[in-house]
């Protein structure tokens, strides 16, 4: 009987994915001169408010300055049509500096939109003296607060990687958490994961701190963050762990005052990068990342944090002859949803930069262990997918995805929804 039930669950899961993808259509959200306008995981580019409006954060060049600025586009009709907020202008134009990069967006229980990104400005104007910037909107994107540097880091002396790749998270009581990678005057050669927090809706932030510097991971990159219902903070990144880039985790049980030393989620001699994490209503953390395998290709791996430990990872759905890059995960009603880029091109691996490929989607239904995969796009110039991120609130019952498409500028930023 148990075997029969398992088979039925697998068949139902497969049928659901086929039905979803059969009726999925894409809409163009915006265009950008940069095919990486949506950035890297776990960037969190897409959110939904309680009225069902959706918002996508991205970057494109401002027609006035000719520099990349941060924009947020909005749809009020389920993703059919989109328009940039703030009257079609950047959410907060940064002058006196250079390009602005890699926004991350979140929404709180009051429907306030919060966006972070990084870039130089008139004060921090060294070639790569980028700082973490922040703006919010309380009126659905009609207006935005003036940008500000929320965690200035001093000591810049010409480093290429100063402060980069912020990710924002808002917990169930509207506390705001931001992590990013960056150097500082003490750690001037290896990036460290930095952390700040706001308990007043973004009016003020704590002073920045390195999550755990000088520990078992000598450098950390592309951090992400989730917080459980007890307030325990999980910061996940990839870093040099015993000589290999591995997925690593550090936790805090005192609101971010102190963090544990970094530990490997699943130590491996194969290189691991680009984690994406989501947390469900039962405080289980669902984690995916890109990992090399014995064939020399890369696969998407999945692990679940439950009862105080991460499970042994599994490969979601390897594809012979393909590289799998940049996973992005979300969950709803106990179901897990992952999208990624799949390409036959090594794309500069391990510092991958795919220009060709297809967007792939996999789902694991609640109570099952089987992943069912389907192509969302044809093979071509479709890549850099990001799923609408949700912990367990304001999901709305749909799976929504954005990705980049095109072989030359302007690149189309596409939206797709799966019922």
């Amino acid at each position: 009987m148990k075997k029969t039930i398992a088979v039925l669950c697998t068949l139902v899961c497969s049928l659901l994915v086929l039905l979803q993808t059969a009726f999925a259509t894409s809409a163009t959200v915006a265009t950008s001169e940069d095919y990486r306008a949506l950035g890297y995981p776990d960037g969190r580019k897409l959110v939904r408010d309680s009225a069902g409006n959706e918002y996508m954060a991205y970057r494109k060049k401002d027609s006035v300055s000719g520099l990349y600025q941060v924009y947020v586009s909005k749809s009020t009709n389920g993703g059919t049509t989109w328009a940039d907020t703030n009257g079609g202008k950047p959410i907060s134009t940064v002058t006196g500096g250079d390009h602005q990069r890699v926004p991350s967006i979140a929404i709180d229980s009051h429907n306030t939109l919060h966006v972070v990104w990084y870039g130089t400005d008139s004060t921090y104007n060294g070639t790569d003296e980028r700082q973490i910037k922040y703006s919010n909107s309380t009126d659905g994107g009609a207006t935005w607060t003036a940008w500000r540097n929320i965690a200035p880091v001093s000591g810049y002396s010409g480093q290429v990687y100063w402060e980069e790749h912020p990710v924002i998270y808002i917990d169930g009581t509207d506390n705001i958490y931001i992590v990013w990678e960056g150097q500082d005057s003490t750690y001037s050669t290896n990036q460290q994961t930095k952390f700040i927090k706001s308990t007043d809706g973004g009016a003020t932030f704590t002073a920045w701190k390195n999550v755990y510097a000088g520990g078992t991971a000598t450098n950390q990159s592309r951090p992400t963050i989730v917080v459980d219902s007890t307030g325990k903070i999980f910061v996940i990144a990839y870093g040099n762990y015993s000589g290999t880039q591995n997925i690593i985790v550090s936790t805090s049980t005192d609101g971010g005052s102190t963090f544990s030393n970094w530990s490997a989620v699943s130590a491996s001699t194969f290189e691991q990068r680009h984690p994406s994490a989501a947390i469900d209503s039962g405080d289980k953390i669902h984690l995916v990342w890109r990992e090399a395998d014995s064939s020399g290709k890369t696969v998407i791996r999945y692990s679940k944090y439950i009862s105080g430990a991460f499970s042994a990872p599994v490969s979601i759905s390897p594809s012979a002859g393909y590289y799998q890059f940049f996973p992005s995960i979300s969950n709803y009603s106990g179901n897990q949803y992952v999208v990624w880029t799949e390409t036959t091109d090594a794309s500069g691996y391990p510092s991958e930069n795919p220009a060709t490929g297809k967007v792939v989607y996999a789902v694991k239904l609640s109570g099952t262990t089987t992943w069912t995969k389907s192509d969302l796009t044809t093979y071509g110039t479709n890549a850099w997918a990001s799923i609408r991120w949700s912990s367990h609130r304001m999901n709305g019952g749909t799976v929504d995805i954005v990705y980049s498409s095109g072989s030359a500028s302007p690149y189309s930023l596409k939206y797709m929804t799966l019922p």
Side-chain angles (χ1 to χ4, degrees):
M1 178 63 73
K2 289 182 178 179
K3 185 175 181 179
T4 301
I5 292 173
V7 171
L8 286 173
C9 287
T10 301
L11 290 173
V12 170
C13 183
S14 301
L15 180 59
L16 284 174
V17 172
L18 290 172
L19 287 173
Q20 288 175 331
T21 54
F23 294 102
T25 57
S26 65
T28 298
V29 179
T31 60
S32 175
E33 298 80 2
D34 183 8
Y35 65 97
R36 296 174 298 179
L38 296 174
Y40 298 84
D42 200 8
R44 300 176 182 170
K45 306 300 180 185
L46 189 64
V47 296
R48 171 191 171 118
D49 67 21
S50 61
N53 302 311
E54 294 193 76
Y55 305 84
M56 186 193 79
Y58 71 106
R59 74 169 189 154
K60 68 179 177 182
K61 286 185 178 179
D62 174 29
S63 60
V64 177
S65 67
L67 299 174
Y68 283 104
Q69 300 283 353
V70 171
Y71 291 76
V72 171
S73 192
K74 178 179 181 179
S75 175
T76 60
N77 55 10
T80 302
T81 59
W82 295 76
D84 287 335
T85 61
N86 202 32
K89 301 187 297 293
I91 63 172
S92 188
T93 301
V94 181
T95 59
D98 203 345
H99 301 299
Q100 306 303 303
R101 300 171 181 265
V102 190
S104 178
I105 188 170
I107 191 167
D108 65 26
S109 64
H110 303 289
N111 288 325
T112 297
L113 298 163
H114 304 262
V115 178
V116 292
W117 69 95
Y118 68 95
T120 59
D121 55 69
S122 58
T123 301
Y124 299 94
N125 55 13
T127 301
D128 294 301
E129 195 178 5
R130 300 158 182 152
Q131 303 289 347
I132 306 303
K133 293 172 167 56
Y134 168 83
S135 177
N136 69 45
S137 174
T138 59
D139 54 12
T143 60
W144 292 82
T145 59
W147 69 267
R148 68 185 198 270
N149 291 317
I150 51 176
V153 178
S154 59
Y156 175 77
S157 57
Q159 293 92 332
V160 175
Y161 305 108
W162 194 236
E163 312 307 316
E164 298 190 327
H165 301 290
V167 170
I168 187 169
Y169 179 91
I170 299 178
D171 69 14
T173 57
D174 287 339
N175 295 315
I176 303 170
Y177 307 81
I178 300 168
V179 291
W180 69 96
E181 63 174 274
Q183 298 161 338
D184 54 63
S185 57
T186 301
Y187 297 91
S188 59
T189 56
N190 288 327
Q191 297 102 296
Q192 304 297 308
T193 295
K194 292 175 167 56
F195 168 88
I196 57 175
K197 176 183 176 181
S198 175
T199 59
D200 57 11
T204 61
F205 286 88
T206 58
W208 68 266
K209 65 173 59 184
N210 289 320
V211 167
Y212 196 100
T216 52
T218 55
N219 71 289
Q220 306 101 47
S221 294
R222 305 294 195 274
T224 188
I225 184 170
V226 292
V227 183
D228 73 16
S229 61
T230 71
K232 185 175 182 179
I233 302 168
F234 295 77
V235 178
I236 302 166
Y238 71 86
N240 189 331
Y241 189 87
S242 300
T244 304
Q245 295 293 320
N246 271 197
I247 303 302
I248 52 177
V249 59
S250 176
T251 62
S252 174
T253 57
D254 56 13
S257 295
T258 60
F259 283 87
S260 67
N261 198 351
W262 295 97
S263 61
V265 170
S266 178
S268 175
T269 57
F270 292 114
E271 188 204 56
Q272 305 167 339
R273 297 195 187 198
H274 301 139
S276 177
I279 188 168
D280 65 28
S281 57
D283 282 341
K284 295 183 288 294
I285 298 170
H286 303 271
L287 178 64
V288 289
W289 64 89
R290 183 275 283 155
E291 183 170 336
D293 65 13
S294 57
S295 73
K297 298 294 193 296
T298 55
V299 296
I300 305 304
R301 302 277 274 170
Y302 166 83
S303 177
K304 179 169 65 175
Y305 183 88
I306 186 170
S307 300
F310 279 97
S311 63
V314 298
S315 297
I316 291 180
S317 185
S319 294
Y322 284 88
Y323 293 86
Q324 298 178 337
F325 296 138
F326 305 135
S328 179
I329 189 169
S330 185
N331 65 78
Y332 179 67
S333 293
N335 304 325
Q336 308 308 313
Y337 306 94
V338 184
V339 294
W340 64 85
T341 298
E342 205 159 275
T343 177
T344 57
D345 185 356
S347 307
Y349 166 81
S351 299
E352 51 262 37
N353 194 25
T356 62
K358 59 183 177 180
V359 176
V360 174
Y361 164 73
V363 58
K364 182 174 75 68
L365 294 183
S366 178
T368 70
T369 58
T370 302
W371 290 90
T372 302
K373 184 178 79 169
S374 182
D375 294 348
L376 289 183
T377 70
T378 58
Y379 193 95
T381 53
N382 302 302
W384 305 91
S386 183
I387 201 164
R388 180 162 61 82
W389 193 89
S390 172
S391 53
H392 48 268
R393 185 179 62 191
M394 295 184 182
N395 186 284
T398 60
V399 180
D400 305 316
I401 296 156
V402 288
Y403 62 95
S404 177
S405 182
S407 58
S409 175
Y411 300 91
S412 295
L413 305 181
K414 297 285 191 177
Y415 168 91
M416 183 180 291
T417 186
L418 306 178

